[in-house]
Amino acid sequence: MPTVEFNIGHKSYELACQEGEERLLRRAAAMLDTEARAILEQAGRMPEPRLLLLAGLMLADRMSATEDRAAAAERELGRLKANPPRIEVPVIPSGIAEAMAEIAARAEALADRAEEALES
């Protein structure tokens, strides 16, 4: 069973973990250490149990806020899936489409005449 060494606040720890979970443990420890260091910067040294408690509570608060944002995003996604926004595609009036087709035909006829003139 592998062991991982890490620091939280002002103390070093060593903890055993399952094979392959070393990276996850280091990441979790780094998150806890970040919170602990922020507490120590504001409050100075404090007993280890209190520091770990406060750092854990700060992480729990962040996680709660993240869960609230995820739930709101899931509700919005559900709303959008149930009622997708309507996209209106502009329709070209038939009169304009006919006029454009006539202009295109005239342009092609002019191009044909120009080619014939150049060939002669």
Side-chain angles (χ1 to χ4, degrees), residues 6-13 33 37 40 45 48 51:
F6 52 88
N7 293 319
I8 296 177
H10 50 74
K11 186 159 184 206
S12 296
Y13 297 89
D33 182 50
R37 289 184 185 278
L40 290 172
R45 290 190 69 86
E48 175 187 359
L51 176 63

Side-chain angles (χ1 to χ4, degrees), residues 3-89:
T3 59
V4 176
E5 293 180 21
F6 52 88
N7 293 319
I8 296 177
H10 50 74
K11 186 159 184 206
S12 296
Y13 297 89
E14 185 174 318
L15 193 62
C17 64
Q18 297 295 320
E19 189 73 36
E21 292 183 350
E22 299 91 343
R23 186 180 64 82
L24 296 173
L25 179 56
R26 282 189 187 95
R27 184 172 179 215
M31 292 170 69
L32 193 58
D33 182 50
T34 299
E35 296 301 328
R37 289 184 185 278
I39 294 166
L40 290 172
E41 284 178 15
Q42 292 178 2
R45 290 190 69 86
M46 67 175 53
E48 175 187 359
R50 183 170 178 81
L51 176 63
L52 292 175
L53 173 66
L54 290 174
L57 289 172
M58 288 177 70
L59 281 176
D61 183 53
R62 280 191 189 191
M63 184 175 144
S64 177
T66 301
E67 287 175 343
D68 289 347
R69 286 194 313 270
E74 287 175 354
R75 284 191 301 274
E76 178 67 8
L77 179 60
R79 185 189 67 74
L80 289 172
K81 282 183 175 180
N83 299 308
R86 291 186 62 174
I87 299 174
E88 298 203 15
V89 179

Side-chain angles (χ1 to χ4, degrees), residues 105-116:
R106 287 182 187 175
E108 286 180 28
L110 287 172
D112 288 343
R113 283 190 209 150
E115 283 181 19
E116 289 174 8

